[in-house]
Amino acid sequence: MLWRLAEHYFAFRQPKSHKYQILAEAKQKGHAVQFDVVCYATSSKLSDVVEEIGEAEGRYIRQYLPALNTQIPKESNWRKYDYNSHALTVTLEEILASAE
């Protein structure tokens, strides 16, 4: 659902967490910052949509391990997660260096 995408854009515009502060810093320094929809829910019932999106997002986070994600959803239950404390201290420079 598009509300999930809107959550990211709102947090990016009002950066309070480390993740969105880093993204705002990247944008200020001229780097492209965008959020893409990588899958759509096929369910029509809201509770099913939330589950479907949560499971898909969890799969992508586990697969790609984004540097700024503090929560890595467990495969058995996307609502439970392992904590990635490094995401709270990673810098823009570290992220850019790892992308080279």
Side-chain angles (χ1 to χ4, degrees):
M1 289 188 64
L2 294 179
W3 57 264
R4 190 69 186 104
L5 187 61
E7 285 178 339
H8 286 301
Y9 273 109
F10 178 77
F12 174 67
R13 301 255 186 240
Q14 303 283 323
K16 293 181 180 155
S17 72
H18 180 71
K19 172 177 24 183
Y20 294 108
Q21 290 169 354
I22 294 290
L23 294 174
E25 177 187 354
K27 181 76 171 171
Q28 287 173 336
K29 291 184 175 182
H31 298 282
V33 175
Q34 67 183 44
F35 303 98
D36 294 319
V37 175
V38 294
C39 69
Y40 290 91
T42 57
S43 304
S44 57
K45 186 176 168 190
L46 181 59
S47 61
D48 293 341
V49 168
V50 169
E51 284 299 311
E52 194 175 336
I53 294 296
E55 289 172 9
E57 186 173 20
R59 260 192 325 277
Y60 285 116
I61 291 170
R62 284 190 306 277
Q63 182 176 353
Y64 296 106
L65 296 174
L68 295 171
N69 273 73
T70 57
Q71 299 175 349
I72 309 300
K74 293 187 177 284
E75 192 169 346
S76 60
N77 181 352
W78 67 271
R79 293 178 188 273
K80 296 184 179 187
Y81 56 87
D82 291 317
Y83 194 68
N84 174 16
S85 60
H86 180 66
L88 293 173
T89 60
V90 69
T91 65
L92 177 58
E93 290 72 25
E94 289 175 297
I95 293 170
L96 294 173
S98 69
E100 292 177 345

